[in-house]
Short mmCIF file of all heavy atoms in Angstrom, two decimals:
data_model
loop_
_atom_site.label_atom_id
_atom_site.label_comp_id
_atom_site.label_asym_id
_atom_site.label_seq_id
_atom_site.Cartn_x
_atom_site.Cartn_y
_atom_site.Cartn_z
N TYR A 341 -3.63 -32.30 11.48
CA TYR A 341 -3.51 -30.99 11.01
C TYR A 341 -1.99 -30.47 10.76
O TYR A 341 -1.65 -30.01 9.80
CB TYR A 341 -4.22 -29.96 11.96
CG TYR A 341 -4.19 -28.58 11.47
CD1 TYR A 341 -5.05 -28.08 10.58
CD2 TYR A 341 -3.23 -27.69 12.09
CE1 TYR A 341 -4.97 -26.70 10.08
CE2 TYR A 341 -3.27 -26.35 11.65
CZ TYR A 341 -4.01 -25.81 10.71
OH TYR A 341 -4.12 -24.53 10.34
N TYR A 342 -1.18 -30.63 11.84
CA TYR A 342 0.17 -30.18 11.74
C TYR A 342 0.91 -31.17 10.78
O TYR A 342 2.04 -30.53 10.19
CB TYR A 342 0.72 -30.04 13.11
CG TYR A 342 0.13 -28.93 13.95
CD1 TYR A 342 -0.60 -29.22 15.10
CD2 TYR A 342 0.43 -27.69 13.54
CE1 TYR A 342 -1.18 -28.17 15.76
CE2 TYR A 342 -0.16 -26.51 14.22
CZ TYR A 342 -0.95 -26.79 15.33
OH TYR A 342 -1.51 -25.80 16.10
N ALA A 343 0.67 -32.31 10.74
CA ALA A 343 1.31 -33.28 9.78
C ALA A 343 1.10 -32.79 8.24
O ALA A 343 2.01 -32.72 7.49
CB ALA A 343 0.93 -34.63 9.98
N VAL A 344 -0.09 -32.36 7.92
CA VAL A 344 -0.43 -31.81 6.63
C VAL A 344 0.24 -30.49 6.47
O VAL A 344 0.71 -30.29 5.40
CB VAL A 344 -2.00 -31.71 6.47
CG1 VAL A 344 -2.26 -31.05 5.15
CG2 VAL A 344 -2.69 -33.03 6.52
N ILE A 345 0.27 -29.68 7.42
CA ILE A 345 0.97 -28.38 7.23
C ILE A 345 2.39 -28.47 7.14
O ILE A 345 3.07 -27.85 6.22
CB ILE A 345 0.73 -27.54 8.57
CG1 ILE A 345 -0.84 -27.06 8.66
CG2 ILE A 345 1.55 -26.36 8.56
CD1 ILE A 345 -1.30 -26.29 7.57
N ALA A 346 2.99 -29.36 7.66
CA ALA A 346 4.50 -29.75 7.63
C ALA A 346 4.79 -30.14 6.16
O ALA A 346 5.74 -29.65 5.37
CB ALA A 346 4.97 -30.82 8.59
N VAL A 347 3.90 -31.04 5.59
CA VAL A 347 4.13 -31.55 4.17
C VAL A 347 3.99 -30.39 3.22
O VAL A 347 4.74 -30.29 2.21
CB VAL A 347 3.14 -32.64 3.83
CG1 VAL A 347 3.11 -33.07 2.39
CG2 VAL A 347 3.41 -33.91 4.72
N VAL A 348 2.99 -29.51 3.56
CA VAL A 348 2.70 -28.32 2.53
C VAL A 348 3.95 -27.34 2.64
O VAL A 348 4.35 -26.90 1.57
CB VAL A 348 1.42 -27.59 3.01
CG1 VAL A 348 1.30 -26.24 2.37
CG2 VAL A 348 0.18 -28.45 2.83
N ILE A 349 4.41 -27.14 3.76
CA ILE A 349 5.69 -26.22 3.95
C ILE A 349 6.77 -26.70 3.15
O ILE A 349 7.52 -26.09 2.46
CB ILE A 349 5.97 -25.97 5.35
CG1 ILE A 349 4.85 -25.09 6.02
CG2 ILE A 349 7.23 -25.23 5.52
CD1 ILE A 349 5.01 -24.89 7.42
N ILE A 350 7.06 -28.10 3.31
CA ILE A 350 8.21 -28.71 2.60
C ILE A 350 7.99 -28.61 1.11
O ILE A 350 8.90 -28.24 0.30
CB ILE A 350 8.29 -30.07 3.02
CG1 ILE A 350 8.80 -30.23 4.39
CG2 ILE A 350 9.19 -30.96 2.08
CD1 ILE A 350 8.74 -31.67 5.16
N ALA A 351 6.70 -28.81 0.58
CA ALA A 351 6.35 -28.67 -0.80
C ALA A 351 6.59 -27.22 -1.23
O ALA A 351 7.20 -26.96 -2.34
CB ALA A 351 5.02 -29.11 -1.06
N VAL A 352 6.29 -26.24 -0.53
CA VAL A 352 6.40 -24.82 -0.86
C VAL A 352 7.90 -24.51 -0.96
O VAL A 352 8.20 -23.81 -1.92
CB VAL A 352 5.74 -23.93 0.14
CG1 VAL A 352 6.13 -22.39 -0.09
CG2 VAL A 352 4.12 -24.14 0.05
N LEU A 353 8.65 -24.95 0.02
CA LEU A 353 10.11 -24.58 0.00
C LEU A 353 10.68 -25.35 -1.27
O LEU A 353 11.71 -24.80 -1.76
CB LEU A 353 10.78 -25.15 1.29
CG LEU A 353 10.38 -24.42 2.54
CD1 LEU A 353 10.91 -24.99 3.80
CD2 LEU A 353 10.69 -22.85 2.43
N GLY A 354 10.30 -26.50 -1.62
CA GLY A 354 10.89 -27.07 -2.90
C GLY A 354 10.60 -26.34 -4.08
O GLY A 354 11.52 -26.37 -4.94
N LYS A 355 9.41 -25.50 -4.05
CA LYS A 355 9.16 -24.71 -5.32
C LYS A 355 10.27 -23.55 -5.40
O LYS A 355 10.48 -23.06 -6.52
CB LYS A 355 7.84 -24.13 -5.20
CG LYS A 355 6.83 -25.14 -5.63
CD LYS A 355 6.90 -25.62 -7.06
CE LYS A 355 5.95 -26.61 -7.39
NZ LYS A 355 6.06 -27.18 -8.81
N PHE A 356 10.91 -23.25 -4.32
CA PHE A 356 11.96 -22.07 -4.29
C PHE A 356 13.28 -22.65 -4.28
O PHE A 356 14.25 -21.93 -4.07
CB PHE A 356 11.72 -21.29 -3.08
CG PHE A 356 10.47 -20.47 -3.17
CD1 PHE A 356 9.38 -20.82 -2.37
CD2 PHE A 356 10.32 -19.26 -3.97
CE1 PHE A 356 8.24 -20.09 -2.39
CE2 PHE A 356 9.20 -18.57 -3.91
CZ PHE A 356 8.07 -19.01 -3.15
N GLY A 357 13.43 -23.97 -4.62
CA GLY A 357 14.78 -24.55 -4.95
C GLY A 357 15.42 -25.06 -3.61
O GLY A 357 16.64 -25.34 -3.66
N VAL A 358 14.69 -25.01 -2.48
CA VAL A 358 15.34 -25.52 -1.20
C VAL A 358 15.46 -27.02 -1.35
O VAL A 358 14.55 -27.73 -1.71
CB VAL A 358 14.44 -25.08 -0.01
CG1 VAL A 358 15.01 -25.59 1.33
CG2 VAL A 358 14.40 -23.60 0.05
N GLU A 359 16.64 -27.52 -0.83
CA GLU A 359 16.82 -28.94 -0.90
C GLU A 359 15.97 -29.65 0.27
O GLU A 359 16.31 -29.54 1.51
CB GLU A 359 18.23 -29.30 -0.62
CG GLU A 359 18.55 -30.82 -0.81
CD GLU A 359 18.14 -31.48 -2.08
OE1 GLU A 359 18.42 -30.89 -3.07
OE2 GLU A 359 17.61 -32.49 -1.98
N THR A 360 14.92 -30.15 -0.08
CA THR A 360 13.89 -30.72 0.99
C THR A 360 14.39 -32.10 1.50
O THR A 360 14.03 -32.39 2.56
CB THR A 360 12.55 -30.87 0.35
OG1 THR A 360 12.57 -31.68 -0.83
CG2 THR A 360 11.96 -29.53 -0.02
N THR A 361 15.14 -32.76 0.78
CA THR A 361 15.61 -34.08 1.26
C THR A 361 16.38 -33.96 2.48
O THR A 361 16.21 -34.55 3.62
CB THR A 361 16.45 -34.79 0.30
OG1 THR A 361 15.68 -35.02 -0.97
CG2 THR A 361 16.85 -36.23 0.81
N SER A 362 17.32 -33.04 2.59
CA SER A 362 18.18 -32.73 3.69
C SER A 362 17.33 -32.15 4.84
O SER A 362 17.63 -32.39 6.01
CB SER A 362 19.32 -31.78 3.32
OG SER A 362 18.87 -30.49 2.86
N MET A 363 16.27 -31.33 4.52
CA MET A 363 15.36 -30.76 5.53
C MET A 363 14.61 -31.79 6.16
O MET A 363 14.45 -31.82 7.45
CB MET A 363 14.53 -29.77 4.86
CG MET A 363 13.53 -29.11 5.86
SD MET A 363 12.59 -27.87 4.98
CE MET A 363 13.78 -26.65 4.60
N VAL A 364 14.06 -32.76 5.45
CA VAL A 364 13.31 -33.87 5.93
C VAL A 364 14.24 -34.69 6.90
O VAL A 364 13.80 -35.04 7.96
CB VAL A 364 12.71 -34.76 4.86
CG1 VAL A 364 12.11 -36.08 5.56
CG2 VAL A 364 11.70 -34.05 4.15
N ALA A 365 15.45 -34.88 6.50
CA ALA A 365 16.44 -35.76 7.40
C ALA A 365 16.65 -34.96 8.65
O ALA A 365 16.70 -35.53 9.78
CB ALA A 365 17.77 -35.93 6.55
N ALA A 366 16.88 -33.70 8.48
CA ALA A 366 17.13 -32.84 9.77
C ALA A 366 15.95 -32.84 10.57
O ALA A 366 16.09 -33.00 11.92
CB ALA A 366 17.45 -31.39 9.28
N LEU A 367 14.72 -32.76 10.06
CA LEU A 367 13.53 -32.73 10.89
C LEU A 367 13.38 -34.13 11.56
O LEU A 367 13.00 -34.20 12.81
CB LEU A 367 12.24 -32.44 9.96
CG LEU A 367 12.10 -30.96 9.54
CD1 LEU A 367 10.87 -30.92 8.59
CD2 LEU A 367 11.91 -30.20 10.84
N GLY A 368 13.75 -35.17 10.90
CA GLY A 368 13.66 -36.55 11.55
C GLY A 368 14.68 -36.57 12.59
O GLY A 368 14.35 -37.17 13.67
#
Side-chain angles (χ1 to χ4, degrees):
Y341 178 81
Y342 289 113
V344 174
I345 293 299
V347 172
V348 169
I349 291 175
I350 291 174
V352 169
L353 293 176
K355 285 297 178 182
F356 291 104
V358 178
E359 183 59 44
T360 57
T361 303
S362 59
M363 180 178 292
V364 171
L367 287 175

